[in-house]
Amino acid sequence: MTLQQNARQAIRYSSEQPVRVGSLLFDEWHSLLLNEGWSDTFVYRLSASDGLPPVDYARAVRRVVPPLLKLRHSVSLWVAVESPPGGIWYSEQVRRTLHGISAPVAVTNGIDTPPQINDFSFYPWTERIQSPPPPQAENPLPEDISPKELRCLQVLARLEQAYTLEVASLAGCSRPTARKALKSLCERKLLDYIPESRNARYPYWEIRRGGMSLALRSWGVPAGVSFPRRKERRYGGKKRSRGQKVLYVGRRHRNTSRLWPAWLKTAWPDRAMIWAGWSEVFLGGILSLSKGGARPDALAWGLLDGRETIFWLEVESGNRSKSEIAKKAIRSINKAIRYVGSFSGLDLVVAFLGPPWVIGGIRDVLGDIPGQVAVVLAGWTDFGVLPEPVWGKTCSEPLPGMHSKGEAKD
């Protein structure tokens, strides 16, 4: 069962009419009986299929807490994470990122089972009688927007500019489905279609202000609340002239990162099930990681051979010396191992994609690999080609005679 099949209707607020507190909107409100008292609990629903990595989505939740506390001092927050059966990493990472916020928060898998008092980060304020419910609000999302359209819009809100295949990869759908959704969004004037020009080799899509506002509302971010962390990490675009925009499309490094979920599905269709994936991910400073935290070029989450797995990608373009590339590869593997090792029951596949000489250099310096980790090496021009992973080993495609299929565009 895929994440999209498991999740409820992808459009926020679809199952219940939202409630309003000032300018803030929440999916639901409940007065829960906790320890013989009644709580004042607001529900914030999120899904791993909404286009945001868990750290960034949790940061969106953090943004609404200060204004909420100013309006209702007795408030508590219930964050309901929609995730597939057996998938615990996403909700656990959300819980970690929300640690320390000034309101009691409970993170649950799904909305079906209300939290108990011990599920909250600290005891919520309760009253002997139930608080009056907040006023209901209008659904800020159009009724006729489909889940596929919204998912593609959410992906593009993070990327800002992207090719059709990049959106399809990160939205978890086929290229024709993504193209149809993007065309519909373009007709709604939520994004623009940019044809081929001297500034870009291929046509691409660019989100408009109205599309960005709609995506922010779909993530529960109210108007007037800044959310800069929604963006993927940048490596810098090419500025063609002083009066032109920075382009975030066309770089092979970025294109390869964005295609990572689709790459995995193509390479291992019988072994891997990909629930969600993101390019240029920030995972925060976890345990003994360096101060800057873990920042893989792309991350996918799903199953490998029926076990919950993180698929960690590093793209090496070869802009460093061989010794620097080798040291960076070892650091990346160690970071990935420490990060995934901080979760229970989670396996790890680390992949390196790049030019043949880079991959060959990395292969030559890698030593012993822990038994619960698999490392795979492959060229970045052969979309969908990866060696079969073997636990505790480094596996690579034959480097001589690697043929270029070109960059995957459109």
Side-chain angles (χ1 to χ4, degrees), residues 286 288-296 312-314 316 320-340 348 350-352 362 365-367 369 373 375:
I286 305 297
S288 59
L289 296 178
S290 65
K291 187 176 180 180
R295 296 174 180 267
W312 183 296
L313 174 66
E314 297 290 342
E316 289 296 342
R320 300 177 176 88
S321 67
K322 285 188 176 181
S323 62
E324 290 174 330
I325 291 172
K327 291 178 182 178
K328 182 176 180 291
I330 293 172
R331 286 197 303 269
S332 297
I333 292 175
N334 289 335
K335 277 191 175 186
I337 291 173
R338 289 198 296 270
Y339 174 77
V340 171
L348 170 66
V350 181
F352 291 90
I362 294 174
V365 300
L366 295 185
I369 303 298
V373 180
V375 176

Side-chain angles (χ1 to χ4, degrees), residues 11-12 24 122 153 165 167 173 176 187 225 233 238 274 283 303 334-335 346 354 361 385-386 402:
I11 304 175
R12 180 175 288 275
L24 305 176
F122 57 93
L153 183 68
L165 190 57
V167 175
C173 61
E187 292 171 358
V225 174
R233 182 162 49 97
K238 294 182 178 180
I274 305 304
L283 295 173
L303 298 176
N334 289 335
K335 277 191 175 186
L346 195 60
V385 176
L386 291 172
M402 294 180 68

Side-chain angles (χ1 to χ4, degrees), residues 20 75 88 119 137 139 149 183 190 209 217 266 272 285 299 304 349 365 370 378 393-394 398:
R20 175 174 54 83
V75 73
I88 63 171
D119 295 325
N139 192 327
E149 290 170 350
K183 286 183 177 179
L190 297 175
R209 183 174 181 178
R217 300 299 88 76
T266 304
L299 200 75
L304 182 66
V349 173
V365 300
K393 293 186 178 181
T394 298

